[in-house]
Amino acid sequence: MIHTLEANSLENIIQFIVEIDKLKAVTRKVKPLHCENRYENSAEHSWQLAVFVLSVEQYCPSNIDILRVVKMVLLHDIGEIDTGDTMFFVEGGWKERKEKELQAVNRIFGILPEPIRTNFIELWEEFEFGNTKESQLANALDRAMPVILNLENEGQSWKENNISYETVISKIEKPIKTGFPQLWDYLSNRIAIAKKRGYFKSNNQVVN
């Protein structure tokens, strides 16, 4: 069904698109491969994650709505426009950070007309709660993406932020196993090899 697009609705959509351009300025802790002079931004991460989802579609159960997963991963970090990125391996303070991120997504998605606004908020919340097969797959790939980059760049962000092997395993094993078991089988072997190669720090203290 094609809806009539009112002029003010189009204006709101354009305002939203302009607003999310700010995500390109939110830096993460891992550097793009073959680009050692800068860190990746959250927009790049979301794009790469969406392509990751599409790449594994044929290996997922047929009852998973892949388009919904793509939508979730494209929207899941929008709140970082206001809050900035926090490394997943940082201990403590997650409840407060997630409350601030929820306020951020309500503000940013609030620019949009209904029903897009509510739809985007529901997708963001689904990702956060992780109670559906789609959100579990989205979370599995989201947790895996920086791990894959660190495996390719000799543990760059793990070393820089003093992250231990034990911390990585404790944070990623459950969500990846739950959402994409085959991926965990693959990654766990590579992470074990990375440990032997010295890609991790000896403790889990995060350097500010």
Side-chain angles (χ1 to χ4, degrees):
M1 178 180 179
I2 300 177
H3 297 271
T4 301
L5 181 59
E6 303 292 340
N8 60 334
S9 294
L10 180 57
E11 177 63 26
N12 289 340
I13 291 170
I14 297 301
Q15 288 177 6
F16 169 74
I17 294 302
V18 170
E19 179 68 16
I20 65 170
D21 192 71
K22 295 176 182 177
L23 198 61
K24 299 174 186 175
V26 178
T27 55
R28 292 167 55 85
K29 299 298 188 292
V30 67
K31 294 179 179 179
L33 301 180
H34 317 296
C35 191
E36 297 180 358
N37 63 340
R38 71 174 182 89
Y39 293 90
E40 74 168 351
N41 63 59
S42 291
E44 292 170 322
H45 166 69
S46 297
W47 160 79
Q48 193 169 29
L49 196 50
V51 177
F52 197 179
V53 173
L54 294 174
S55 300
V56 300
E57 179 178 6
Q58 65 178 317
Y59 306 107
C60 297
S62 59
N63 62 340
I64 286 186
D65 183 347
I66 286 293
L67 178 57
R68 189 168 186 84
V69 182
V70 171
K71 290 177 180 179
M72 270 189 271
V73 300
L74 287 173
L75 297 174
H76 80 290
D77 278 342
I78 292 290
E80 292 182 358
I81 288 171
D82 288 356
T83 66
D85 175 66
T86 300
M87 196 175 196
F88 182 61
F89 303 110
V90 172
E91 299 290 343
W94 276 98
K95 183 176 183 294
E96 294 78 10
R97 284 193 286 272
K98 287 302 176 182
E99 288 174 352
K100 291 180 179 178
E101 197 169 345
L102 176 58
Q103 293 174 2
V105 297
N106 280 322
R107 179 192 73 78
I108 297 164
F109 293 148
I111 299 170
L112 289 162
E114 291 287 9
I116 306 170
R117 174 191 309 162
T118 297
N119 183 31
F120 280 14
I121 291 174
E122 288 176 348
L123 285 164
W124 184 88
E125 290 178 336
E126 182 178 347
F127 178 90
E128 290 296 318
F129 293 142
N131 292 329
T132 64
K133 291 184 182 298
E134 287 79 10
S135 61
Q136 288 166 358
L137 175 60
N139 272 278
L141 300 186
D142 183 46
R143 299 294 177 257
M145 195 63 252
V147 172
I148 292 168
L149 294 179
N150 270 289
L151 291 171
E152 295 295 326
N153 65 15
E154 300 183 354
Q156 167 259 315
S157 75
W158 294 334
K159 291 177 181 177
E160 288 183 3
N161 294 279
N162 208 24
I163 303 299
S164 70
Y165 167 85
E166 291 76 16
T167 295
V168 171
I169 296 298
S170 69
K171 289 284 191 176
I172 70 170
E173 181 176 7
K174 183 178 179 180
I176 298 178
K177 262 187 177 180
T178 300
F180 199 164
Q182 306 99 305
L183 180 59
W184 176 249
D185 292 341
Y186 169 81
L187 287 178
S188 60
N189 290 328
R190 289 199 60 188
I191 294 169
I193 294 171
K195 181 183 180 183
K196 294 179 180 178
R197 292 177 176 173
Y199 288 8
F200 301 92
K201 289 293 184 177
S202 60
N203 59 65
N204 59 7
Q205 178 184 0
V206 176
V207 178
N208 293 323

